[in-house]
Amino acid sequence: MSIAISLIGGLGLFLFGMSYMSDGLQKSAGSKMKDILAALTKNRLMGVLVGALVTGVIQSSSATTVMVVGFVNAGLMNLNQAVGIIMGANIGTTVTAFLVSLNITQFATFMVGVGVFMYLASKKKKIKSIAEVIIGFGILFIGMKLMGDAMKPLQSNPMFTGLITKFNNPYLGILVGFIITAILQSSSATTGLLIAVATTGVITFEQAFPIVFGQNIGTCVTALLASIGANKTAKRAAVIHLLFNISGTLLFMIFLRGPVEWIIFNMVPNYVPQEIAAGHIFFNIINVVIMLPFANLLVKISQILIKDNGDETQQVTKYIDDRLLVTPSIALTQASKEVLHLGNLALEEFETAIRAFFTNDEETALKVFEIELSVNELNKKTIEYLVKLDKVSLTNYEKDKLVVLLNSINDIERIGDHADNIGELVLDKIENKVIFSDQANEDLREMFEETKKMYKETLTVISTMDCDECNKIIANDDIIDEMYKNLRKNHIERLNNFVCEPSAGIVFLDIISNLERIGDHSTNIAESILEAVANKNEKKS
């Protein structure tokens, strides 16, 4: 019983340390990850490097693959790009195995102490993030030490040693590696357990190596589960991950296991934990080298297994996906793109309302209401995503950017409502055959154009966070307000002078009122951005 308690406690500390270290790495390097992914091209070799780098940062091939499924599902990456990243993720995850194989447990508590001191002593966010990496790294090794100590009494346990001898059957080793990894949802955790067992000396490298193969297959379960509910292309990405790891295992079992074991025995000191780490590295790098030229074949097999029967419905969102939340900095970038997507949809609604007004076309006016339904649905989905994003680890600046996005969404949705109001007024104009004077039409055209120009500039600053442009938008609001007052006054004069029909009065005044409110909401967005930038500068000083 005490062995089980120590083992579970050690595993818990190991997983916590790895998660804490990953969190710190993402905070300190996560902003660069979106630049790494932005540099991605159709070159598969570049994809392999990107996959290895990203996995090295987030310390989880499963998380990287889930993220890839999310990108593919959002239509931001095709299968040809995904293949390279998936293969690279397998190389990146070998970093964890290498680290835990190092015999530096005696420094673990010292590292935790140094990390905690750095965290408490510094007020700088960057230093605190680095401290989290050091603390997590130290806790990871403390967990390893607890697991190793828990295993030591089992050295003399005949039942346990008898069980280990069954691993002489490599296929049983593959099955055990697969099952444990599928349950823990982490190949790194299985590697930690395997190395902890190896430190006791009860398992040989020949017995442990097939377990490594099973781990690689078991880690595919996470991506397969993540692909449930995704589109067919995303499902194919998860299947490619599975095909790649199964193919690699078969390749080693049939042809390469013996030669690689011989190389490791001659290169690595007689220390099983390091032999396991070396085996893990060799297995994944050799698999990538051999399988990369057959990437197109993997894509074709995945397309055969996951057939495209054309029954998929179009997604409401374009850029966001819950699977991207494992990397908050990238998820925030995608959320920003989705807010712009929403903004452009509201702009389309506004432009459609303008076109309906000047063409007197009922069908165009009805199109406004269709777009409004899409705006409302996309608004709901994006808010839900931002609320989820608010619960993950973000830097202070990222939190301020998140607040800007939440505020912007609210104002964009209201702009859509005002465009919808204009659509209603257009239908009223058509139904009642309301006629405007040439001057009234010209005034409305001018205010329409000025308001649209201001709103388009607002959408631009959501992504650029340019303070100068924000100030211009706020200044433009004064122009819109003055235009509203003048147009209202002039139209009332025309009504009094019988230049315009009385029935045109309500429609005209309601339209310019809605346009003035669109200007106000554009200003709200600009002011929110200015506040976020001011907060950032204040924290820097």
Side-chain angles (χ1 to χ4, degrees), residues 241-267:
H241 189 210
L242 180 64
L243 290 172
F244 171 62
N245 284 314
I246 289 176
S247 300
T249 296
L250 291 173
L251 193 67
F252 264 73
M253 290 299 293
I254 297 170
F255 302 109
L256 298 175
R257 183 185 166 203
V260 170
E261 285 180 353
W262 183 85
I263 292 170
I264 290 171
F265 283 138
N266 284 276
M267 285 182 61

Side-chain angles (χ1 to χ4, degrees), residues 32 328 339 501:
K32 296 180 180 64
V339 171
E501 296 179 4

